[in-house]
């Protein structure tokens, strides 16, 4: 695992990609910091960071598109998979390397709250640092999704476009889900779609059609029962789900409302875990098909 | 030692490897032969754990590739068809990375890397980026990776592709050298290479094992009567008359070209018959310009064996 981790970091700084990523992130954070905090004298750095983080939509694919697509294309995956290294070690080694590279601009941005503190009388160090802390996990969620998408294809371009689309969807999630019609029928259909997705994921992870089918069937019947017994529950559930899946919520809670959302961080970590697991199983599946 | 039991690999409805079973003893060089798409690379990929089999087992030095992948993979050095090289690394960086992946003991890995570089003759390019190396050198770096740490079993998929004749000879010598302490499996479509290097040949066709034996035994399998080719200065009639009385001749085919007759004689394979033909022609005062035995080459054997299975289907 250590070898793969080091190799990834080295190859990032050999190929300029690492420098480009760090430079773009730092420049954007710097611009927002200059405008919001230094020019307008706004005491919260968290606002600037939140605005700068929108660049992750473009920066994530930059970081993750190569991860597995390139290995597959150049056949180096044959080396990784025929040496005594476990697949989860390969995935984790790569993911940790991206995490370290992503942490570099965030570490640099740790200076900004201090600069505000030096210049002005009011500063909110605790909120600012907790925002940076949350932003770290927030970015890792995007990265884990990017790694997973890269493991599905051998084309870096498809991987990049795919991760861009996925991150785009997440960024505009709350805006998009606002357009779901507020009827029982729509809620029912929405929940069935989610159920099918969940069953597919279970199937991908366990390779057990019976378990996935049984859960799907049971869920389907349960939804039907609920629809005729208490139909209002359906839209409540769908709303609760879309609300929970709004990944930007924990980070905006701390940045805008000064609420440190531990459950949100736990959710980030769980999503990261799920996508890394999916990456492992997608690599595994390729060997068997 | 490698034991392959009832190996099956299906890609959708296409069966790439069909119930393959064999056992490979240590200290030998095995040649994997087969036409394109016969399942050679697939079989090698399954043995090395890169691909999973649809059914069947591969047991390497007592470790099942499926149940104990780490132990099994530690015994194998593998050079795939396309060498798995990180082109943005130098040769040294690459081999150090490979040593870590192979989990070689840290105190010995320097020595192993030096030995591998010497064996594969890549010492003079050790500091260069792999992307700047020629195909032949890349192949050798791949070979250095395969032999790194001297695993018990070394599997080479078409190791001489892209090399010049001198390098091919070097690599053949290297393979023979390795075989003193290791089991070497190599696949090749160059038959002369297999017949020169390998002790033992496995011929695969349509995912099935059609022959597995030493090269000498394979020739014996053919069981065909021998053939003799003669070019002599005579017309067909007198030539046929001259050898008509020789015992041991089954059949004679003649072709006339200008003053010469070119005959292919199917005989019983005994040296006495050869001599009798010679003396018979000499007695009839027919000058012989050329006379040689035709031995079946591995090519013909190969075509014959792989064609048989097609007919059987």
């Amino acid at each position: 695992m250590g070898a793969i981790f080091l190799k990834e970091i080295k190859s990032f700084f050999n190929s300029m990609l690492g420098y480009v990523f760090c430079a773009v992130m730092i420049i954007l954070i710097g611009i927002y910091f200059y405008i919001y905090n230094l020019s307008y004298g706004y005491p919260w750095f968290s606002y600037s960071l939140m605005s700068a983080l929108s660049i992750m939509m473009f920066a994530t694919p930059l970081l993750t598109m190569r991860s597995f697509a390139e290995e597959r294309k150049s056949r180096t995956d044959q080396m990784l998979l025929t040496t005594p290294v476990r697949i989860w070690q390969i995935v984790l080694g790569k993911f940790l390397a991206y995490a370290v590279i992503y942490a570099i601009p965030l570490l640099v941005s740790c200076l900004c709250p201090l600069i505000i503190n030096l210049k002005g009388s009011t500063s909110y160090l605790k909120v600012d640092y907790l925002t940076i802390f949350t932003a770290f996990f927030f970015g890792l969620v995007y990265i884990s999704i990017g790694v997973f998408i890269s493991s599905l294809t051998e084309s870096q371009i498809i991987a990049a476009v795919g991760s861009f689309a996925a991150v785009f969807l997440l960024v505009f999630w709350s805006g998009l889900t606002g357009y779901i019609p507020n009827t029982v029928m729509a809620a029912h259909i929405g929940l069935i779609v989610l159920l099918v997705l969940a069953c597919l994921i279970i199937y991908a992870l366990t390779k057990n059609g019976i378990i996935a089918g049984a859960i799907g069937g049971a869920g389907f019947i349960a939804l039907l029962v609920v629809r005729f017994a208490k139909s209002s529950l359906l839209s409540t559930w769908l709303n609760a789900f879309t609300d929970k899946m709004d990944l930007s919520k924990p980070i905006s809670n701390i940045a805008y409302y000064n609420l440190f959302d531990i459950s949100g961080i736990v959710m980030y970590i769980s999503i990261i875990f799920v996508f890394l697991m999916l990456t492992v199983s997608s690599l595994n599946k390729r060997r068997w098909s | 030692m490698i034991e392959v039991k009832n190996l099956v690999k299906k890609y959708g409805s296409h069966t790439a490897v069909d119930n393959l079973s064999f056992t490979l003893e240590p200290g030998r060089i095995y040649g994997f032969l087969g036409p394109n798409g016969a399942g050679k690379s697939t079989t090698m990929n399954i043995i090395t754990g890169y691909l999973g089999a649809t059914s069947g087992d591969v047991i390497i030095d007592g470790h099942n590739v499926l149940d104990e992948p780490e132990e099994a993979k530690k015994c194998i050095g593998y050079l795939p068809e396309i060498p798995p090289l990180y082109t943005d690394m130098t040769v040294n960086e690459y081999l150090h990375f490979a040593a870590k992946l192979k989990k070689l003991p840290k105190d010995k890995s320097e020595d192993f890397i030096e030995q591998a570089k010497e064996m594969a003759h890549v010492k003079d390019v050790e500091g260069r980026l792999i992307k700047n190396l020629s195909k032949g050198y890349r192949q050798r770096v791949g070979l250095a990776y395969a032999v790194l740490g001297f695993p018990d079993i070394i599997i080479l998929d078409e190791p001489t592709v892209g090399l010049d004749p001198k390098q091919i000879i070097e690599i053949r010598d290297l393979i023979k050298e390795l075989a003193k302490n290791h089991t070497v499996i190599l696949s090749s479509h160059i038959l002369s290479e297999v017949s020169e290097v390998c002790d033992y040949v496995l011929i695969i066709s349509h995912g099935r094992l059609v022959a597995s034996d030493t090269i000498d035994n394979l020739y014996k399998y053919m069981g065909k009567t021998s053939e003799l080719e003669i070019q002599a200065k005579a017309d067909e009639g007198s030539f046929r008359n001259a050898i008509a009385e020789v015992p041991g001749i089954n059949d004679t085919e003649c072709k006339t070209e200008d003053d010469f007759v070119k005959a292919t004689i199917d005989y019983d394979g005994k040296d006495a018959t050869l001599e009798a033909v010679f003396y018979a022609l000499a007695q009839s005062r027919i000058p012989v310009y050329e006379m040689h035995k035709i031995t079946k080459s591995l090519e013909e054997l190969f075509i014959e064996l792989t064609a048989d299975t097609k007919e059987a289907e």
Side-chain angles (χ1 to χ4, degrees), chain B residues 17-287:
Chain B
V17 176
D18 190 1
N19 220 351
L20 200 62
S21 301
F22 53 80
T23 308
L24 307 183
E25 304 292 332
R28 277 191 183 165
I29 309 180
Y30 288 91
F32 247 48
L33 273 179
N36 290 334
K40 289 173 299 200
S41 291
T42 306
T43 310
M44 288 185 154
N45 278 332
I46 293 171
I47 293 175
T48 53
Y50 176 60
L51 291 178
T54 310
S55 68
D57 289 306
V58 177
I59 294 157
I60 291 157
D61 285 346
H63 306 290
N64 192 317
V65 174
L66 218 57
D67 302 330
E68 305 169 279
E70 276 159 84
E71 284 77 9
K73 286 172 184 176
K74 269 185 191 168
C75 307
I76 298 181
Y78 180 38
L79 171 63
E81 209 170 345
I82 298 164
L85 303 174
Y86 288 99
T87 49
D88 56 352
M89 289 186 186
T90 65
V91 174
N92 267 336
E93 278 171 351
Y94 175 72
L95 290 176
H96 277 97
F97 175 58
K100 278 192 220 154
L101 281 189
K102 288 191 173 191
K103 300 196 172 152
L104 300 180
K106 280 209 177 77
D107 49 326
K108 284 188 200 155
S109 67
E110 273 312 313
D111 291 341
F112 279 138
I113 290 169
E114 282 304 309
Q115 285 167 334
K117 280 192 287 194
E118 259 162 43
M119 276 194 124
H121 301 283
V122 290
K123 203 94 182 75
D124 44 335
V125 293
E126 60 182 10
R128 284 175 57 184
L129 284 176
I130 293 175
K131 67 176 152 208
N132 297 333
L133 296 180
S134 68
K135 177 143 176 40
Y137 266 112
R138 288 185 191 199
Q139 189 75 22
R140 289 202 254 169
V141 175
L143 198 67
Y145 153 69
V147 300
L148 185 63
F150 300 105
D152 291 344
I153 297 154
I154 292 170
I155 300 183
L156 310 169
D157 199 351
E158 307 201 344
T160 56
V161 170
L163 301 181
D164 65 39
K166 187 170 162 274
Q167 292 167 340
I168 290 178
I169 293 167
E170 278 173 10
I171 292 219
R172 281 182 196 167
D173 291 342
L174 171 64
I175 291 168
K176 283 180 193 161
E177 182 73 30
L178 283 171
K180 286 177 190 161
N181 307 309
H182 310 270
T183 312
V184 181
I185 306 172
L186 71 102
S187 82
S188 181
H189 57 252
I190 307 165
L191 296 149
S192 60
E193 178 169 279
V194 170
S195 61
E196 190 175 321
V197 177
C198 301
D199 308 320
Y200 210 88
V201 181
L202 300 164
I203 298 181
I204 295 178
S205 177
H206 299 276
R208 270 180 242 151
L209 194 65
V210 289
S212 104
D213 214 325
T214 59
I215 290 183
D216 295 341
N217 278 344
L218 280 179
Y219 283 131
K220 277 181 205 157
Y221 270 151
M222 305 286 292
K224 284 256 171 95
T225 45
S226 312
E227 283 182 334
L228 181 67
E229 209 170 64
I230 298 177
Q231 197 176 3
K233 200 174 181 180
D235 58 84
E236 196 183 325
S238 52
F239 182 84
R240 278 187 187 276
N241 275 337
I243 58 166
E245 298 298 311
V246 178
I249 290 180
N250 301 327
D251 190 29
T252 310
E253 271 177 48
C254 291
K255 254 194 304 183
T256 320
E257 272 173 31
D258 301 330
D259 290 344
F260 291 94
V261 66
K262 230 181 183 176
T264 312
I265 298 172
D266 192 350
Y267 74 112
D268 58 6
K270 285 180 190 148
D271 287 345
T273 316
L274 279 182
E275 288 170 20
V277 169
F278 174 78
Y279 287 126
L281 291 172
Q283 249 163 24
S284 317
R285 298 195 57 77
I286 293 174

Side-chain angles (χ1 to χ4, degrees), chain A residues 16-259:
Chain A
M16 295 290 295
L17 217 56
Y19 294 109
V20 171
F21 175 83
C22 291
V24 167
M25 291 284 288
I26 290 171
I27 288 171
L28 210 77
I29 291 171
I31 289 173
Y32 278 111
F33 174 64
Y34 181 79
I35 295 172
Y36 283 177
N37 302 120
L38 300 186
S39 281
Y40 293 150
Y42 208 68
W44 280 287
F45 171 66
S46 55
Y47 271 56
S48 322
L49 187 65
M50 278 301 280
S51 305
L53 275 185
S54 58
I55 191 66
M56 279 302 280
M57 211 151 57
F58 302 97
T60 309
L62 200 68
L63 206 56
T64 59
M65 63 183 185
R66 293 177 359 130
S67 55
F68 287 100
E70 164 109 335
E71 300 268 6
R72 193 167 167 194
K73 181 125 198 163
S74 63
R75 304 290 192 107
T76 41
D77 60 334
Q78 261 180 326
M79 177 179 183
L80 298 180
L81 293 175
T82 56
T83 41
V85 189
R86 299 230 162 205
I87 293 180
W88 66 263
Q89 291 174 320
I90 301 171
V91 173
L92 200 61
K94 281 179 177 264
F95 176 73
L96 289 179
Y98 308 142
V100 165
I101 290 168
Y102 172 60
I104 294 171
L106 287 186
L107 281 177
V108 173
S109 75
C110 284
L111 293 172
C112 299
L114 289 179
I115 295 171
I116 297 172
N117 194 24
L118 283 177
K119 275 193 71 173
S121 48
T122 40
S123 66
Y124 300 91
L125 289 184
K126 225 187 254 173
V127 169
D128 286 347
Y129 283 121
L130 283 175
T131 306
I132 295 174
F133 178 76
T134 314
F136 177 65
F137 289 99
F138 179 65
L140 290 191
V141 171
Y142 288 175
I143 291 172
S144 65
I145 294 171
V147 169
F148 169 63
I149 291 174
S150 180
S151 77
L152 296 175
T153 167
E154 60 178 275
S155 153
Q156 289 189 42
I157 294 173
I158 292 176
V161 172
S163 344
F164 172 75
V167 175
F168 183 89
L169 194 69
L170 289 177
V171 168
F172 293 103
W173 181 265
S174 58
L176 292 173
T177 51
Y179 289 100
I180 296 176
N182 206 1
T183 62
V184 176
M185 193 63 197
H188 197 173
I189 293 173
L191 286 171
I192 288 176
V193 169
L194 291 176
L195 184 68
V196 170
L197 279 178
C199 290
L200 286 178
I201 291 173
I202 290 168
Y203 180 69
L205 286 176
T206 60
K207 291 278 171 304
N208 192 329
I210 298 168
I211 291 181
I215 291 174
F220 189 80
I221 292 166
L223 285 180
L224 265 184
V225 170
V226 172
R227 171 147 189 199
F228 290 108
K230 199 174 179 198
S231 59
S232 63
L233 264 181
L234 289 179
S235 40
T236 318
W237 283 350
L238 189 65
N239 282 339
F241 176 79
T242 53
D243 215 38
K244 268 274 176 288
M245 280 311 288
D246 186 2
L247 290 185
S248 59
K249 210 159 194 190
I251 191 163
S252 42
N253 272 344
I254 180 73
Y256 300 138
Y257 309 114
N258 299 353
L259 283 169

